[in-house]
Structures are given as structure tokens and as C-alpha cells.
């Protein structure tokens, strides 16, 4: 797993995504060295089922996600 000092904008990262049931990948768009949060642009359109998103009235399509740096594995 990565620390914020190991991540850079444009870098490809991978993580295990429980709702997806497997690995997901994306490119880093923002790294907050202060808080440890990273914004990632997803490589594939992510569809969150209604039961996983309490505010949705149907499926929610996402292009980005934000997570802690320690959840990510750098790929390049």
C-alpha cells in the first residue's frame, strides 16, 4: 500500500473494491499530503447499485472516487 509521498498526479493506481468484487484502477488527480486523501479518476465507468448509495434513485454513475492513500497500490 502507498503513502502520500509515493503518489503523484497522473500515476496509475489499483485497489481492491468490495462492491465491485475485484480490483479497480484509475489515475491520480489530486493528492492531499496533509490529510492523506487521494482523488482518483476511474479508468472504467463505475456503476454504484442503489442499495450501496442511499441518496440514489436508480444507479449512480461515477467517474471519480476519493480514498485514503494507504488503500492504493501504485502501478507505474
Amino acid at each position: 500500500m502507498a503513502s502520500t509521498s509515493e503518489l503523484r498526479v497522473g500515476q496509475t493506481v489499483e485497489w481492491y473494491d468490495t462492491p465491485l468484487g475485484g480490483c479497480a484502477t484509475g489515475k491520480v488527480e489530486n493528492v492531499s499530503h496533509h490529510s492523506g486523501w487521494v482523488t482518483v479518476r476511474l479508468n472504467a465507468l463505475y456503476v454504484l447499485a442503489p442499495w450501496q448509495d442511499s441518496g440514489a434513485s436508480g444507479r449512480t454513475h461515477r467517474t471519480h472516487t476519493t480514498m485514503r492513500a494507504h488503500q492504493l497500490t501504485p502501478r507505474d
Side-chain angles (χ1 to χ4, degrees):
M1 301 307 162
S3 68
T4 56
S5 63
E6 297 174 283
L7 299 173
R8 66 186 188 290
V9 173
Q11 183 176 31
T12 300
V13 290
E14 182 178 79
W15 65 95
Y16 184 81
D17 192 283
T18 303
L20 190 61
C23 289
T25 61
K27 292 208 178 273
V28 174
E29 285 204 346
N30 186 42
V31 179
S32 173
H33 295 283
H34 177 71
S35 68
W37 288 95
V38 179
T39 301
V40 178
R41 180 173 184 76
L42 303 168
N43 284 347
L45 184 63
Y46 187 91
V47 179
L48 193 62
W51 58 86
Q52 296 167 328
D53 184 4
S54 59
S57 60
R59 291 182 167 234
T60 302
H61 299 276
R62 294 182 3 196
T63 58
H64 292 75
T65 190
T66 303
M67 61 186 59
R68 293 291 202 172
H70 72 271
Q71 296 174 285
L72 302 170
T73 303
R75 289 293 166 217
D76 58 5

